[in-house]
Amino acid sequence: MPSITVEQMLHVAFQHHQAGHFAQAEPLYRKILAVSPGHADALHLLGVVAHQTSRHDLAIELILRSIAANPQNAVAYSNLSEAYRGTGRIDEAIAALQRATVLQPNFPEAYNNLGNALAARGRFDEAITAFHRGLQLNPNYAEASNNLGVVLTRQGRLDEAVAAFRQALQSKPGYANALSNLSSALCNRGDIDQAIDAARRALAIVPNHVEACLNLGNAFQAKGLPDEAVAEYRRATKIQPDLVTAKNNLALALKDTGRLNEAIAVYREALELEPNHSTVHSGLILTLHYSPDCTPDLIIAEQQRWNRRLNKSVKRSTEPYANERIPERPLRIGYVSPDFRQHVLGRNILPLFEYHRRGDFEIICYAAVSSSDELTEEFRKRSDQWRNILELSDDALAKTIREDRVDILVDLAQHSAGNRLPVFAREAAPLQVSFGGYPESTGLDAIKYRISDRWLESEMGDGSSEFGWKQRPNLPSPISHLRSAEQVFLLESFWCYEPCGANVAINPLPARQDGRITFGGLHHFSKLNEPTLRLWAKVIRRLPDSRLVMLAAPGGHRQRVLDILLQQGVEAHRIQFAEPCSREAYLGLYHRLDIVLDTLPYNGHTTNLDALWMGVPVVSRCGQTRVSRGGLSILNNAGLPELAAHSDEEFVEIAAGLALDLPRLTALRQNLRPRLEASVLMDAPRFARDIEAVYRTLWRQWCERGEAKN
């Protein structure tokens, strides 16, 4: 075959290739190679087809043969890197791209690919430098601007990310990926309406853009439109039924609207697709704690299943810890949390940071905070080292913690969103402790210690006799044989309340002015299950002119609550909803309330403390799990044990009796805040000293054991 014929055939094959007609291009490339086996361009382009059709190993083989025939082809090295990335060989991809930029320094595509490869390796600063170099060579390179924005978003540099996405859209106005990514960055930055607009624009261009659906759902969630969020997540699951992220987001949105059984079913569907997905399994475990249909045994069994799966997928270091075994030396404490911010965890743990003895304890924060606020800066100021771990892999974070020589690593999330429990499974520190997120065990074997309080850990009596929980608060749990082995240290209080500057004054008792009692339940909506609402209805019916105020975003979930209460004989005009709002405005809602009714099985925790701070007493119903004993703990420590009920009947009697005692309600209105301030619930120095004592005890035990390895 004359060479001109080969070149003509190559030209035709390349035209098919460019048009995306891979089935027509590939046979032509192979015909050329049958005549000229060492044809560098045919080998290269056939390798590109193989990569584009997900045959990455074949692509690597072909492109390497092309490079052997023409070692100066920078484009071949760049395409080789993409094939390496397709097989997960990131270091080789980086090396190939670095070679491409040496051969052709003015090659913007190579710098863009290099940025992607470096980002995949977690080398974000180098990735940003590579993207900037590509954009210097081609300022209108929309893909490089978009990829730069993605990395900046992952670093939490949201203003820069938004600017990068907008630059991409200026270069390429119909770029749906950039619009979708812009929506995500805007949502994280708090510009929710703009985020919704950007996602909608992306979907107008590409109606089946699954990431845009997810980002639109996230923005709706942030705006307090849960029904709309659920619809977008369902849309994403229809577009891509096997997308676990979409199912995870859908389950979370269903949980937040109180549709717990549906949420649990969707979580289980996601785990059928990906059984070892730790984040999804954590979401399921947390949701089970909210469900009135789930027994403690069921929750523990699910934790054990998660623990077994996680342990099978984790490779632990076999290196001994390098920490010096000196019992009384200053200790390095590592705190891992996504919630060093305006969040119930952030407010509860801040007093510990304020009163940590800095000479005895060095504090390292491993923070996965996607959007910082003023409380984040408070934590940053009170820590000795601050590590942004948003995009560190579990292996990389475990390695960093070991290199930091952390003595005690503290999980502050348990199974809540953003947890890094897989890092703890890697046994990143000699001692690992769980505390703060909520008062339950993680179920992870690698976390051998937990901090709690004596009320949370007591056995639940049935309230039918004088003997039981009220009289013997230190009885062991009846289900302890099912738990993973862990040593529990008991504080006086699991909580240390911090108003965080919310100086909202206490008002006079509303019932004195209104002539009727107003009950309230300003709890997270996921806690408003049917048994709780039926119990509240019994209280409301006992006081025919009383009112009930609940916190809920607008949507169909409100109607579900109304229907249940109406079925229980509570008239619609007695039920009111308040929308989620700023913290200061939320505290102002307590000005409308005389008494707060607690939820079961997941009690109000910080919300109950907020109520007491605002002078509003709480009537709580205790249950069999620790999260259902939060009210018991808080009320006992506030000197109000008589407001903790151990049966539904007792709950109704306590609430109704308190509602009829206006002199007592008036007195409580005035003295609850000073009582809270004088109690262990706001004794920050004691809270810090008690936790530090736990750390020191743990460290002495470890030194005494003299373990040489993990």
Side-chain angles (χ1 to χ4, degrees), residues 112-219:
N112 178 57
N113 290 344
L114 178 58
N116 288 331
L118 289 165
R121 207 75 177 111
R123 294 160 62 178
F124 301 116
D125 290 339
E126 294 174 78
I128 289 169
T129 299
F131 290 131
H132 278 306
R133 176 59 181 150
L135 287 165
Q136 286 174 350
L137 295 168
N138 180 2
N140 294 318
Y141 193 174
E143 288 74 13
S145 293
N146 177 64
N147 293 334
L148 171 62
V150 169
V151 174
L152 290 168
T153 300
R154 290 164 70 177
Q155 283 199 317
R157 296 162 62 177
L158 299 176
D159 291 342
E160 295 172 78
V162 167
F165 293 132
R166 285 180 171 153
Q167 181 181 343
L169 290 164
Q170 187 174 355
S171 302
K172 189 176 178 181
Y175 194 0
N177 285 353
L179 280 165
S180 176
N181 291 330
L182 174 62
S183 173
S184 177
L186 288 167
C187 186
N188 288 338
R189 197 172 72 169
D191 297 325
I192 308 303
D193 289 335
Q194 292 183 52
I196 290 171
D197 176 69
R200 281 175 166 162
R201 287 165 58 200
L203 288 165
I205 298 166
V206 182
N208 288 335
H209 198 299
V210 68
E211 289 297 330
C213 289
L214 293 175
N215 288 330
L216 182 55
N218 295 342

Side-chain angles (χ1 to χ4, degrees), residues 43-64:
L43 286 165
H44 173 210
L45 294 170
L46 182 59
V48 172
V49 169
H51 167 64
Q52 290 172 323
T53 53
S54 300
R55 294 171 290 165
H56 305 300
D57 289 329
L58 176 61
I60 292 168
E61 176 192 340
L62 290 166
I63 298 174
L64 283 174

Side-chain angles (χ1 to χ4, degrees), residues 70-128:
N70 181 9
Q72 304 304 308
N73 189 345
V75 175
Y77 276 104
S78 181
N79 289 328
L80 174 64
S81 77
E82 293 300 282
Y84 277 137
R85 284 182 62 207
T87 61
R89 295 159 66 177
I90 306 300
D91 290 337
E92 290 165 281
I94 292 170
L97 287 162
Q98 289 170 334
R99 178 60 181 161
T101 59
V102 169
L103 290 171
Q104 190 173 327
N106 297 326
F107 188 180
E109 290 79 7
Y111 284 105
N112 178 57
N113 290 344
L114 178 58
N116 288 331
L118 289 165
R121 207 75 177 111
R123 294 160 62 178
F124 301 116
D125 290 339
E126 294 174 78
I128 289 169

Side-chain angles (χ1 to χ4, degrees), residues 231-549:
E232 289 305 321
Y233 296 143
R234 287 198 190 281
R235 180 179 174 184
T237 61
K238 287 179 181 177
I239 296 169
Q240 195 170 336
D242 60 349
L243 183 59
V244 171
T245 299
K247 289 186 179 293
N248 183 66
N249 289 9
L250 173 59
L252 181 59
L254 290 167
K255 167 185 168 288
D256 286 348
T257 57
R259 295 151 72 177
L260 300 177
N261 290 337
E262 290 180 70
I264 290 167
V266 174
Y267 276 128
R268 294 199 185 283
E269 288 175 13
L271 287 172
E272 286 291 322
L273 293 169
E274 197 169 335
N276 294 325
H277 199 300
S278 180
T279 298
V280 171
H281 215 151
S282 278
L284 171 61
I285 290 167
L286 181 62
T287 303
L288 294 177
H289 284 94
Y290 287 80
S291 172
D293 300 325
C294 294
T295 64
D297 289 13
L298 189 153
I299 295 170
I300 292 163
E302 197 64 57
Q303 288 177 328
Q304 291 176 337
R305 187 177 298 112
W306 165 81
N307 178 61
R308 288 193 299 270
R309 287 175 175 175
L310 181 57
N311 285 336
K312 285 181 181 178
S313 67
V314 164
K315 183 178 180 181
R316 296 182 177 88
S317 172
T318 58
E319 292 295 317
Y321 296 108
N323 309 62
E324 294 180 304
R325 297 176 180 275
I326 303 173
E328 306 307 317
R329 69 169 173 80
L331 298 180
R332 280 192 165 189
I333 311 297
Y335 291 100
V336 184
S337 177
D339 297 319
F340 293 121
R341 57 189 175 93
Q342 276 292 353
H343 183 272
V344 290
L345 180 278
R347 293 194 294 274
N348 189 57
I349 210 72
L350 184 62
L352 171 61
F353 277 63
E354 289 176 332
Y355 286 93
H356 250 315
R357 289 178 294 195
R358 304 303 286 274
D360 294 332
F361 298 91
E362 181 181 347
I363 307 306
I364 305 176
C365 285
Y366 297 96
V369 180
S370 59
S371 185
S372 300
D373 56 30
E374 66 278 3
L375 208 61
T376 307
E377 295 311 308
E378 290 298 317
F379 279 109
R380 195 189 297 268
K381 287 190 296 187
R382 287 169 171 79
S383 62
D384 296 288
Q385 295 185 58
W386 183 271
R387 301 268 191 267
N388 183 348
I389 65 168
L390 268 176
E391 290 306 319
L392 281 183
S393 69
D394 294 328
D395 284 332
L397 179 53
K399 182 174 182 290
T400 297
I401 291 166
R402 274 184 171 263
E403 290 172 349
D404 286 341
R405 297 195 178 187
V406 168
D407 300 310
I408 300 176
L409 190 66
V410 185
D411 162 49
L412 294 174
Q414 285 76 41
H415 286 281
S416 56
N419 76 73
R420 299 302 297 267
L421 291 173
V423 173
F424 287 80
R426 287 159 170 78
E427 297 183 347
L431 295 164
Q432 301 191 136
V433 180
S434 177
F435 173 65
Y438 57 93
E440 287 289 348
S441 171
T442 64
L444 182 63
D445 289 341
I447 299 180
K448 295 180 169 59
Y449 307 95
R450 182 165 54 83
I451 298 174
S452 185
D453 74 33
R454 65 191 183 108
W455 303 105
L456 297 169
E457 298 301 315
S458 303
E459 180 181 2
M460 180 62 216
D462 61 8
S464 61
S465 68
E466 289 300 313
F467 178 80
W469 206 22
K470 287 185 177 180
Q471 301 298 318
R472 297 181 62 189
N474 292 315
L475 285 172
S477 167
I479 55 174
S480 58
H481 67 285
L482 291 172
R483 295 199 179 102
S484 58
E486 59 182 12
Q487 185 176 349
V488 183
F489 290 83
L490 304 183
L491 308 177
E492 284 298 308
S493 172
F494 184 86
W495 292 274
C496 187
Y497 186 66
E498 170 55 64
C500 289
N503 297 317
V504 179
I506 294 173
N507 67 323
L509 187 71
R512 292 285 191 189
Q513 179 178 343
D514 301 339
R516 60 172 178 260
I517 289 290
T518 301
F519 294 99
L522 306 183
H523 310 282
H524 193 280
F525 197 85
S526 56
K527 299 179 181 181
L528 301 187
N529 55 69
E530 187 168 348
T532 289
L533 293 168
R534 289 200 304 263
L535 182 58
W536 288 6
K538 290 180 181 179
V539 175
I540 304 301
R541 291 202 309 268
R542 287 282 294 269
L543 291 101
D545 198 33
S546 61
R547 299 291 188 269
L548 174 64
V549 178

